[in-house]
Amino acid sequence: MAYEVEAPKYIRLAQTIQQRIEDGTYAPGSKVPSENQLVQAFGMSRPTVVRALELLKRDGWLESRQGYGTIVRGRSAGVERKDRRGREALERDESQTPGRLVVVGQVPVPARVASVLGLPKRSEVLMRRFLVVEPGEPVELVSSYFPSDLVEDTELGSADPLGGGTRAHLEARKKVRFDHVTERVSARLPERGEAELLELPDGMPVLSVLVLACDASGQALQVSDVLLPADRQELEDTYRLS
């Protein structure tokens, strides 16, 4: 049995403001509504509004300017790059991507994936693990997890490479709609099997981008753990000096 887990209010508010930045409602360089205006417009408490704004500032969407208020920065290089990882996890055409499908099958759900999908411990989920190789060396290992009720009547369990991407496939087969993606970036040591696939020397860490793809209610439809060898990544961001 799956349990629906609704995203916290401050995250939902941050996602709404972010969407308005993306669609041009709040243009780069413009002021966002004041805290009081946001409290009245969304019917949320001031602490919730403040927390949502701080999250957007941390991720580079907004910037506070003394004596002027909070303005829209738009999308920083780092935000663009992280978003690209999430989008690729959902839209990658396995049949056209250099690399190979490593594993497809039911596996015990990892603890941090279970909490996101709203599943009890010891549940099983479908995992598709794909190794991206270019040029000539492994550069990315993507493990995508799907709730069992989304797998029925789909090709997700097939051992053949999936064409068109998981998002398009699920939206067509299951009539669900992906609404937003949240990404959590961290560093860790890989498990033995992960290190072997990525051809990493002992002690080499990986960057993990945990991609949470949700519908409009905040229910996760797909969780992907994108592993990137730390010795093959070059991260860059641009920020303003206050």
Side-chain angles (χ1 to χ4, degrees), residues 25-240:
T25 302
Y26 301 150
S30 67
K31 292 179 62 176
V32 297
S34 67
E35 292 177 6
N36 285 337
Q37 290 171 325
L38 291 172
V39 166
Q40 295 175 3
F42 293 97
M44 295 185 179
S45 68
R46 183 178 295 276
T48 297
V49 169
V50 170
R51 196 171 181 186
L53 294 176
E54 289 301 318
L55 179 61
L56 290 166
K57 292 173 187 176
R58 186 200 69 185
D59 288 347
W61 294 95
L62 302 177
E63 176 186 6
S64 292
R65 287 190 181 177
Q66 189 172 4
Y68 188 74
T70 302
I71 66 168
V72 177
R73 288 187 58 189
R75 300 173 69 85
S76 70
V79 172
E80 289 282 3
R81 187 169 292 102
K82 287 189 293 182
D83 176 77
R84 180 172 64 84
R85 296 294 184 190
R87 186 175 296 276
E88 284 180 352
L90 298 177
E91 300 180 357
R92 174 176 286 114
D93 187 328
E94 295 173 348
S95 65
Q96 301 297 319
T97 301
R100 61 189 175 92
L101 194 58
V102 179
V103 177
V104 179
Q106 295 288 330
V107 299
V109 60
R112 62 176 180 166
V113 175
S115 63
V116 173
L117 291 177
L119 297 175
K121 296 179 180 179
R122 296 183 294 277
S123 296
E124 288 197 343
V125 291
L126 179 74
M127 179 182 75
R128 293 183 69 86
R129 173 169 285 176
F130 192 90
L131 181 68
V132 181
V133 180
E134 56 178 35
E137 69 174 354
V139 295
E140 191 172 322
L141 181 63
V142 185
S143 302
S144 296
Y145 303 89
F146 305 88
S148 296
D149 58 351
L150 276 185
V151 175
E152 296 179 5
D153 302 320
T154 73
E155 301 299 322
L156 293 177
S158 171
D160 295 325
L162 186 67
T166 55
R167 174 185 178 181
H169 188 73
L170 282 172
E171 289 187 339
R173 292 293 185 92
K174 304 299 289 187
K175 306 305 179 185
V176 296
R177 180 174 177 80
F178 287 76
D179 180 76
H180 58 271
V181 169
T182 300
E183 296 173 358
R184 300 173 182 172
V185 182
S186 60
R188 65 175 174 85
L189 289 175
E191 298 175 2
R192 181 174 180 178
E194 296 168 341
E196 290 176 351
L197 287 168
L198 290 169
E199 300 178 6
L200 298 175
D202 290 344
M204 177 61 65
V206 291
L207 296 179
S208 169
V209 182
L210 192 67
V211 179
L212 319 177
C214 305
D215 62 17
S217 73
Q219 176 67 41
L221 304 174
Q222 173 179 335
V223 179
S224 296
D225 191 8
V226 182
L227 296 187
L228 309 165
D231 63 339
R232 301 167 205 166
Q233 304 303 312
E234 182 176 344
L235 302 181
E236 176 181 318
D237 198 359
T238 300
Y239 59 92
R240 297 177 185 273

